Amino acid sequence: MNIETRLFSDDDKDIEAAAEILRKGGLVAFPTETVYGLGGNALSSTSSEHIYSAKGRPSDNPLIVHIADTASVYELATEVPETAKVLMEAFWPGPLTIILPKKEIVPDTTTGGLATVAIRMPSHPAALKLIKMSGVYIAAPSANTSGRPSPTTAQHVMEDLNGRIEAVIDGGPVGIGIESTIVDLTGDKPTILRPGYITKKMLEELIGEVEIDPTLIRPDPNIRPKAPGMKYTHYSPSGELSIVEKNSDSDNKEDNTFDSDTAVADKINELYNKRKSEGYIVKILVPQEHAHLYNTEDVIIVGSVTDGITVAARLYSALRECDDMDAAYIYSESFMDYELGGAIMNRLLKAAGHRVIYV
Ligand code: TXA
Ligand code: MG
């Protein structure tokens, strides 16, 4: 496929043009509050097939269906349990995806052959307008080429998908920067399949105990993750990314403040110097407060220690910058102890192929 990809603004006229493309079965990337999505008509198997091929994505990896009003859930799902109603009421529109048993009208192509469907109501105004104006439910994975970091700007989308989709709506940089929390409500207990901005605690305050898919914490090659997408390598820059983390066993808990600890910085500097001396391009990912610990211009700032939300917002663009600068080796501090640390490290660990160096 090689078509001209139009860059649209997020004004009503352009969103209407994008809506028309969707109605005709074409593909349009659009901003959401989490990451940019690659949208097509969710009820058309042809559109879903085009999404898989534009992304280069395996077709057993199901798509999320985006809706703009709660009533749509009842069109797509056979059963809507009380827990779903509570969560929809509390977090929609917003960065939460729920899994429910699917109705016949949702094609198997959209759900990767599963009997369930992932549904989310995004809060980004351009996304909501596009869904409403088009009159279609929009199947949308993240608008990156499969395996690359998810796009947080329209330019990222163009880097990956220019020539492969009809249009991109430019709504500026997204707010959250990592994908929605996914909760499966089809089993005995609500289960988080992908961590995100909506945390386990936030869910439990409303619906009681929530499980976490065990493969999210310690990936085991013998257990399949329940969200098929979580089994693929993902979010990866081209260079070799390693995370350098303080060994929690040797931790003196009293002394576990971010600023007093330079052991991680010492290790990263050592690794950096070695690779530099071998002639490689090397980049270092750290929060702004730690930049002074590294005496080099190869530091890429990823948010602030005082606010994990700023780290989430910067993570994917920082990984893409490493690619732009042809980094062969990338060393990152760990963000585990930060707000949203679990969701951030879920992505960073995958990007690093779980390469962690403990100090
Ligand atoms: O924030 C987001 O969710 C973004 C924006 C664009 O809305 N979308 C997104 O889509 O991240 P994608 O396709 O990159 O990730 C969807 C994840 C995949 O891991 C997929 O396996 C899982 O959701 N998923 C989709 N349908 C599912 C289902 N029926 N059961 C289990 N997992 C499902
Ligand atoms: Mg994705």
Side-chain angles (χ1 to χ4, degrees):
M1 202 176 3
N2 206 345
I3 51 181
E4 192 207 333
T5 302
R6 299 166 67 190
L7 192 58
F8 285 150
S9 77
D10 59 358
D11 70 20
D12 283 4
K13 197 172 119 283
D14 277 8
I15 293 182
E16 179 44 44
E20 179 62 14
I21 292 170
L22 289 175
R23 281 193 294 268
K24 287 189 172 147
L27 305 184
V28 176
F30 61 97
T32 81
E33 70 280 21
T34 56
V35 298
Y36 274 71
L38 167 54
N41 180 353
L43 301 189
S44 152
S45 15
T46 325
S47 293
S48 290
E49 275 160 20
H50 286 161
I51 291 177
Y52 291 114
S53 64
K55 260 182 85 81
R57 173 173 183 155
S59 58
D60 67 343
N61 187 2
L63 309 173
I64 295 175
V65 180
H66 295 66
I67 61 173
D69 60 76
T70 311
S72 303
V73 173
Y74 300 85
E75 304 287 317
L76 299 165
T78 53
E79 248 174 89
V80 184
E82 195 53 36
T83 46
K85 290 177 192 162
V86 172
L87 296 180
M88 282 151 50
E89 171 72 26
F91 298 115
W92 280 2
L96 179 73
T97 297
I98 58 176
I99 311 275
L100 295 172
K102 85 170 185 73
K103 273 193 176 163
E104 204 72 29
I105 58 157
V106 185
D108 286 339
T109 329
T110 302
T111 64
L114 296 177
T116 54
V117 58
I119 309 175
R120 132 165 160 85
M121 190 193 295
S123 64
H124 195 292
L128 285 172
K129 244 185 212 169
L130 181 65
I131 301 163
K132 284 183 187 150
M133 282 186 176
S134 64
V136 304
Y137 305 128
I138 303 181
S142 48
N144 50 297
T145 307
S146 194
R148 288 211 78 201
S150 296
T152 54
T153 66
Q155 285 65 42
H156 293 163
V157 178
M158 282 303 239
E159 279 167 31
D160 284 15
L161 298 176
N162 191 8
R164 307 177 72 85
I165 61 177
E166 276 78 4
V168 181
I169 297 172
D170 188 350
V174 300
I176 293 175
I178 55 175
E179 304 86 345
S180 61
T181 306
I182 303 179
V183 191
D184 184 354
L185 299 175
T186 63
D188 294 339
K189 281 224 183 93
T191 305
I192 294 176
L193 306 188
R194 180 174 71 184
Y197 182 86
I198 309 286
T199 60
K200 181 170 187 278
K201 185 159 166 279
M202 289 159 80
L203 298 170
E204 287 187 329
E205 273 164 14
L206 295 169
I207 57 168
E209 202 186 330
V210 172
E211 313 245 281
I212 294 190
D213 184 359
T215 63
L216 290 182
I217 301 157
R218 280 282 160 256
D220 177 339
N222 300 312
I223 307 176
R224 285 173 67 89
K226 286 198 188 130
M230 302 306 275
K231 74 173 181 266
Y232 298 104
T233 25
H234 233 157
Y235 320 119
S236 306
S238 312
E240 184 186 286
L241 167 64
S242 307
I243 299 162
V244 180
E245 187 169 299
K246 204 173 163 194
N247 192 341
S248 53
D249 296 342
S250 65
D251 237 354
N252 175 353
K253 290 276 179 257
E254 299 301 303
D255 188 34
N256 191 14
T257 57
F258 290 109
D259 294 317
S260 68
D261 182 25
T262 58
V264 166
D266 291 346
K267 185 69 189 176
I268 291 179
N269 280 320
E270 177 197 321
L271 295 162
Y272 171 88
N273 289 331
K274 176 167 178 291
R275 291 304 184 188
K276 276 303 263 197
S277 72
E278 293 166 356
Y280 290 107
I281 298 175
V282 191
K283 297 290 164 187
I284 299 174
L285 305 181
V286 301
Q288 73 191 37
E289 290 85 352
H290 294 181
H292 71 277
L293 299 171
Y294 305 90
N295 184 22
T296 160
E297 291 185 344
D298 287 318
V299 162
I300 296 178
I301 306 279
V302 192
S304 163
V305 294
T306 59
D307 185 0
I309 290 163
T310 61
V311 176
R314 269 284 293 150
L315 185 67
Y316 288 138
S317 62
L319 292 174
R320 279 177 180 260
E321 281 167 35
C322 293
D323 277 353
D324 295 344
M325 295 180 287
D326 294 320
Y329 291 93
I330 307 151
Y331 299 102
S332 178
E333 289 191 13
S334 169
F335 300 97
M336 194 52 111
D337 296 332
Y338 291 47
E339 192 183 351
L340 295 185
I344 293 165
M345 292 308 288
N346 170 263
R347 275 63 170 193
L348 194 59
L349 281 161
K350 271 159 141 311
H354 290 269
R355 215 175 349 257
V356 183
I357 298 163
Y358 292 102
V359 294

